[in-house]
């Protein structure tokens, strides 16, 4: 008696998904239409799957070592001679409700419809001055890429001419190919090479793209840089990547590199800078003119401020959805390296006062 569990390489308590996954792997490995395939092993794996994927047959097999439902019994061809798998719909629905469609569509590319073609994504880098990253800006970049032909707008037809139904695929955009195998006839579906999946062809081909609808061009692309963007962030421009005939364009990804600023550093939505304050102003207080990204601000330095203290100017930081951040002023009080005699005397008097 054949051990179907051993053939598929699964345990006796394997789930339906595990059995299906195991058969998918063996089907890819042994199918006779594939290079290096093994017809006998493929047939054996198919027989095992036909039984173990059916609840009734699996229960019979587990209890008696065989099934009593005809097709799928031990040693029999589970599919029947001459079974037609055309398009896989018959295969999928005809074998007592079993789901082989997705497995064989993986092998041959047919069955459940074609994925829409999509062009390649591309990426570029943009370097931004610090101020532009804070407030946002617009950049224009030139990119050489495979683009929709600007002459025919992607139709492939010369200006003034029409498109007609493709005679090769009769307007379906796909070509069906049927191959014979031990299990019957398999039908695969591929893109029509004449119309590139569009279903129509130009009466007169565009001379710039040769009727393809895409060509290599240099294009200017406008990039909106949002306010508050950070170093290393990516901006996605949908359908601004490489184009393909009969399909959608890929996307363009822009990586932002923010140049450092001599005065300001960014801390989340806040900006920070160092404000140097004279010792006497730190002791007695003063008013300083501070250059922010928005212009000059008059800032009052309170008497007795210490080195390392932080003063805050509200609303002069980074714009954000929740409101604009603040500008943080880190106070630096440099000490004089040389003192005049008069200055020394004044300090001595302060020392005597316990200050």
């Amino acid at each position: 008696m054949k051990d179907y569990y051993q053939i598929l390489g699964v345990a006796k308590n394997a789930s339906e998904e595990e059995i299906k996954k195991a058969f998918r792997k063996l089907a890819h490995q042994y199918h006779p239409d594939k290079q290096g395939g093994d017809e006998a092993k493929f047939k054996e794996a198919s027989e095992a799957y036909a039984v173990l994927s059916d609840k009734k047959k699996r229960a019979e097999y587990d209890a008696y070592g065989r099934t009593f439902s005809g097709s799928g019994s031990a040693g029999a061809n589970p599919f029947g001679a001459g079974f037609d798998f055309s398009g896989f719909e018959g295969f999928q629905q005809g074998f007592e409700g079993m789901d082989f469609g997705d497995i064989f569509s993986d092998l041959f590319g047919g069955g459940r419809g074609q994925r829409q073609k999509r062009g390649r994504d591309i990426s570029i880098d943009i370097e931004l001055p610090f101020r532009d990253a804070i407030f946002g800006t617009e950049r224009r970049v030139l990119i050489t890429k495979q683009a929709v032909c600007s002459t025919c707008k992607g139709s492939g037809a010369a200006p003034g001419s029409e498109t007609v139904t493709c005679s090769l695929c009769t307007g379906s955009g796909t070509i069906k190919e049927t191959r014979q195998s031990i299990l019957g006839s398999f039908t695969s579906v591929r893109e029509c090479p004449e119309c590139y999946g569009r279903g129509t062809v130009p009466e007169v081909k565009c001379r710039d793209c040769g009727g393809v609808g895409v060509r290599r061009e240099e294009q200017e692309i406008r990039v909106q840089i949002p306010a508050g963007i950070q170093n290393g962030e990516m901006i996605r421009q949908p359908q601004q990547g490489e184009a393909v005939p009969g399909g959608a364009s890929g996307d363009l990804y822009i990586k932002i590199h923010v140049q450092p600023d001599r005065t300001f550093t960014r801390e989340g939505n806040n900006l920070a800078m160092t404000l140097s304050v004279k010792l006497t102003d730190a002791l007695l207080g003063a008013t300083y003119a501070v250059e922010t990204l928005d212009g000059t601000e008059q800032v009052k330095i309170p008497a007795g401020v210490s080195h390392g203290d932080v003063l805050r100017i509200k609303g002069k930081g980074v714009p954000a959805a929740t409101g604009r951040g603040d500008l943080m002023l880190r106070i630096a009080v440099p000490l004089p390296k040389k003192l005049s005699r008069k200055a020394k005397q004044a300090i001595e008097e302060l020392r005597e006062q316990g200050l």
Side-chain angles (χ1 to χ4, degrees):
M1 183 184 74
K2 294 182 180 180
D3 187 337
Y4 289 148
Y5 293 103
Q6 185 177 21
I7 290 171
L8 294 183
V10 297
K12 288 190 176 182
N13 61 349
S15 66
E16 292 181 10
E17 186 60 32
E18 288 172 330
I19 290 171
K20 186 176 181 180
K21 185 177 180 180
F23 176 61
R24 186 194 300 268
K25 181 179 179 181
L26 294 175
H28 276 279
Q29 182 177 356
Y30 294 126
H31 194 278
D33 285 352
K34 295 174 72 73
Q35 187 175 4
D38 188 314
E39 182 177 317
K41 289 185 177 180
F42 179 76
K43 185 176 179 181
E44 190 176 53
S46 300
E47 180 181 320
Y49 181 68
V51 172
L52 299 184
S53 62
D54 184 284
K55 290 182 179 180
K56 181 180 177 182
K57 292 174 185 173
R58 184 177 179 180
E60 291 174 353
Y61 175 75
D62 288 342
Y64 307 107
R66 57 166 295 179
T67 63
F68 303 96
S69 306
S71 64
S73 59
N77 179 356
F79 308 113
F83 195 93
D84 183 9
F85 300 98
S86 178
F88 303 105
E89 294 87 351
F91 192 164
Q92 184 178 349
Q93 299 169 5
F95 193 68
E96 298 186 15
M98 291 172 55
D99 185 5
F100 282 87
D102 59 339
I103 294 173
F104 287 95
S105 65
D106 283 349
L107 283 171
F108 301 104
R112 297 188 177 181
Q114 299 288 319
R115 290 182 61 186
Q116 185 185 21
K117 286 191 303 179
R118 185 175 180 276
R120 187 172 62 91
D121 293 339
I122 56 178
S123 62
I124 60 172
D125 294 72
I126 289 182
E127 199 164 290
L128 279 184
F130 190 83
R131 178 182 289 270
D132 286 347
I134 299 301
F135 294 113
T137 187
E138 181 185 270
R139 279 295 188 86
R140 298 184 181 186
V141 293
L142 285 175
I143 299 178
T144 301
K145 62 174 183 174
Q146 197 76 4
V148 174
C149 177
S150 57
T151 303
C152 67
K153 310 303 181 189
S155 70
S161 68
E162 301 292 333
T163 58
V164 296
T165 301
C166 175
S167 60
L168 183 60
C169 67
T170 63
S172 67
T174 57
I175 300 294
K176 289 186 177 181
E177 295 178 335
T178 301
R179 289 183 289 175
Q180 299 296 323
S181 93
I182 187 67
L183 298 176
S185 60
F186 290 86
T187 299
S188 62
V189 181
R190 64 184 178 91
E191 177 189 281
C192 175
E194 186 69 24
C195 67
Y196 305 100
R198 289 186 292 240
T200 59
V201 292
E203 284 184 326
V204 180
K205 291 182 178 180
C206 171
R207 67 178 184 179
D208 290 331
C209 66
V212 178
V214 300
R215 63 171 177 158
R216 198 152 190 84
E217 292 183 355
E218 185 178 69
Q219 287 192 343
E220 182 182 80
I221 296 175
R222 294 186 177 186
V223 181
Q224 292 294 332
I225 311 294
I229 195 165
Q230 299 201 53
N231 184 54
E233 281 196 75
M234 300 282 286
I235 298 174
R236 174 175 168 265
Q237 297 273 81
Q239 297 189 15
Q240 293 289 349
E242 297 271 357
V244 290
S249 297
D251 297 335
L252 170 65
Y253 290 88
I254 303 105
K255 187 172 184 179
I256 301 299
H257 301 272
V258 180
Q259 297 172 347
D261 190 83
R262 294 181 180 180
T263 303
F264 303 99
T265 57
R266 182 169 177 173
E267 298 176 356
N269 290 333
N270 294 328
L271 295 176
M273 63 173 288
T274 299
L275 180 62
S276 184
V277 176
K278 293 190 297 184
L279 177 60
T280 52
D281 292 337
L283 293 171
L284 303 175
T287 299
Y288 276 59
V290 176
E291 289 296 328
T292 73
L293 290 177
D294 298 270
T296 304
E297 290 281 331
Q298 299 295 321
V299 178
K300 186 176 181 179
I301 309 298
V305 72
S306 299
H307 181 85
D309 284 352
V310 176
L311 304 180
R312 182 190 300 266
I313 305 179
K314 291 187 176 182
K316 297 300 179 182
V318 181
T322 55
R324 192 168 173 183
D326 301 329
L327 174 61
M328 317 300 287
L329 305 178
R330 291 197 173 94
I331 302 300
V333 184
L335 298 176
K337 295 182 179 179
K338 292 183 179 181
L339 294 173
S340 65
R341 183 182 300 175
K342 197 171 183 180
K344 286 182 180 181
Q345 290 175 351
I347 293 174
E348 286 292 344
E349 291 177 4
L350 291 173
R351 179 188 285 178
E352 291 174 0
Q353 297 175 20
L355 298 178

